[in-house]
Amino acid sequence: MIFEKTHLDDIVRCYCASHMDIDDKCYAFFASENPSAPCYSYTGENFETKEVVWEDTRGGCMSIIPFKTRKGEFLAVNEFYLKVSPSHAKLVWGKKTETGWEVKDVFNLPYLHRFDIYHIDGKDFVVCATIARDKANKEDWTRPGQIYVGEIPADLENENVVLRQVADGLYRNHGYTRGQYNGNDCGYFGCDSGLYRLTPVDGGKDWNLEKLMDGKIGEIAIADIDGDGKEEFMTIEPFHGNAIHVYHEKDGGYERVYTYPNEIDFAHALVGTTLGGKPCFVAGIRRINCEIFVLTYENGEFVVHTVDTGVGPANLDVIHHNGKEYILGANHTLNEAAIYEVK
């Protein structure tokens, strides 16, 4: 694989990388971890057209998730800061208008870190993961995180989302990815006590949490990297950890089949996807070599493709648009928003 890099922008402590398609246009989003920091979108043939999504009255954004069912609309986390107690973290709703972007607060949820939108039986649900219930300081992990679920009303302008707690006791509740199980969206969550799967029951009226694997799981991604019809897990271990592993399903459990051999520290970003028609994982590390790499499985062996070094991404995203493929890098260490065309 060849990766052609474009430096899109200088963004201090760049934290979020995401995208959304509106008609035939693809919008790449980048936002900062800093308080009072703007978010920008980039579109056009070379992502050269920049727009302000929100002004510098917000910040602390790790995730922007577009609706599958509502054109030009997304949800995002704002004001997530590990160092701030009490937490001001909130979920916000954004939409594209004729004059630009509009953003409105939806609800506050202390230490809301990860979330997603699930479409189940014609209804949209938000699934929210808090990294902790509360924190006395940045290093305080004595209080666990939770998972909450709420149906998203059709009219977010005038109706509220009512959350209910569906899981508790998840210390350092940091890892998350969406998957499919029994024909529905499901969520995989990683924390200090292991890897869990959350699945909707009876159209979202109930939710089932099951433990799949022990371990201190800091991040999680899924892909059928070896093409055997069963998805593998890639993990970062432990929280903000120094190891990246791949697990293969075997005998009703999971067997570790690969460990990234390079010395790493503060691994933070994982994506399960396809590039060049091959299932793969994309990973990013924030310290030491500060690399981005793609992992594939070829001729019975795992193969590492280095995308970039010295950049230290906090988050990554992958775009497939108009026959082209891109990796978005929220390159936190380099204070950079970057895009890599895969050739």
Side-chain angles (χ1 to χ4, degrees), residues 56-77:
D56 57 1
T57 55
R58 299 176 178 269
C61 176
M62 178 168 170
S63 300
I64 297 174
I65 307 294
F67 280 89
K68 294 180 180 178
T69 57
R70 308 184 189 192
K71 178 180 172 181
E73 298 186 27
F74 65 81
L75 297 178
V77 170

Side-chain angles (χ1 to χ4, degrees), residues 29-313:
F29 296 108
F30 289 92
S32 172
E33 180 179 26
N34 268 4
S36 301
C39 172
Y40 300 111
S41 71
Y42 305 81
T43 193
E45 184 176 352
N46 298 304
F47 298 92
E48 71 279 0
T49 302
K50 176 180 175 180
E51 296 179 334
V52 175
V53 179
W54 61 69
E55 298 286 355
D56 57 1
T57 55
R58 299 176 178 269
C61 176
M62 178 168 170
S63 300
I64 297 174
I65 307 294
F67 280 89
K68 294 180 180 178
T69 57
R70 308 184 189 192
K71 178 180 172 181
E73 298 186 27
F74 65 81
L75 297 178
V77 170
N78 278 183
E79 298 190 54
F80 170 79
Y81 314 115
L82 275 180
K83 297 179 181 180
V84 176
S85 183
S87 172
H88 303 298
K90 64 179 71 173
L91 193 77
V92 305
W93 166 51
K95 61 180 179 179
K96 190 76 170 73
T97 70
E98 292 182 357
T99 57
W101 297 92
E102 292 183 2
V103 178
K104 174 190 174 183
D105 293 353
V106 179
F107 57 74
N108 289 86
L109 182 60
Y111 295 104
L112 170 62
H113 181 245
R114 306 293 288 276
F115 79 95
D116 209 341
I117 303 169
Y118 294 10
H119 189 68
I120 305 167
D121 293 349
K123 298 178 180 179
D124 287 323
F125 293 83
V126 63
V127 177
C128 300
T130 57
I131 199 166
R133 184 182 298 279
D134 195 10
K135 294 172 69 65
N137 53 64
K138 181 183 177 181
E139 303 306 325
D140 175 23
W141 296 105
T142 60
R143 285 158 279 196
Q146 297 77 40
I147 302 173
Y148 298 85
V149 174
E151 185 178 339
I152 304 172
D155 183 7
L156 273 170
E157 292 277 6
N158 301 296
E159 298 181 56
N160 297 323
V161 177
V162 178
L163 293 177
R164 61 189 178 98
Q165 182 179 298
V166 296
D168 197 358
L170 306 177
Y171 289 88
R172 289 188 178 93
N173 186 26
H174 183 272
Y176 171 76
T177 193
R178 185 197 305 171
Q180 283 278 313
Y181 186 67
N182 290 338
N184 274 319
D185 286 341
C186 71
Y188 294 93
F189 297 82
C191 63
D192 275 3
S193 58
L195 173 64
Y196 296 81
R197 179 169 57 210
L198 181 73
T199 54
V201 179
D202 194 17
K205 294 179 181 178
D206 200 3
W207 295 77
N208 180 54
L209 186 72
E210 56 184 319
K211 187 174 186 178
L212 301 180
M213 190 169 68
D214 288 325
K216 296 182 183 296
I217 310 298
E219 190 55 270
I220 179 73
I222 55 174
D224 181 13
I225 192 169
D226 60 7
D228 70 345
K230 296 181 180 180
E231 290 177 321
E232 280 69 46
F233 294 126
M234 175 176 268
T235 64
I236 292 170
E237 300 180 37
F239 170 71
H240 288 175
N242 60 359
I244 294 177
H245 304 300
V246 175
Y247 293 88
H248 180 83
E249 185 178 347
K250 182 179 180 181
D251 300 329
Y254 293 91
E255 174 187 28
R256 186 183 296 175
V257 293
Y258 176 80
T259 297
Y260 182 58
N262 292 12
E263 182 185 4
I264 61 175
D265 185 26
F266 209 147
H268 198 265
L270 295 181
V271 178
T273 185
T274 61
L275 291 172
K278 298 177 181 179
C280 62
F281 293 109
V282 188
I285 298 122
R286 282 176 53 177
R287 293 180 183 160
I288 304 181
N289 291 328
C290 303
E291 67 262 46
I292 303 172
F293 69 88
V294 173
L295 185 71
T296 59
Y297 190 77
E298 303 174 31
N299 300 317
E301 295 183 347
F302 290 95
V303 180
V304 173
H305 311 262
T306 300
V307 178
D308 203 356
T309 58
V311 294

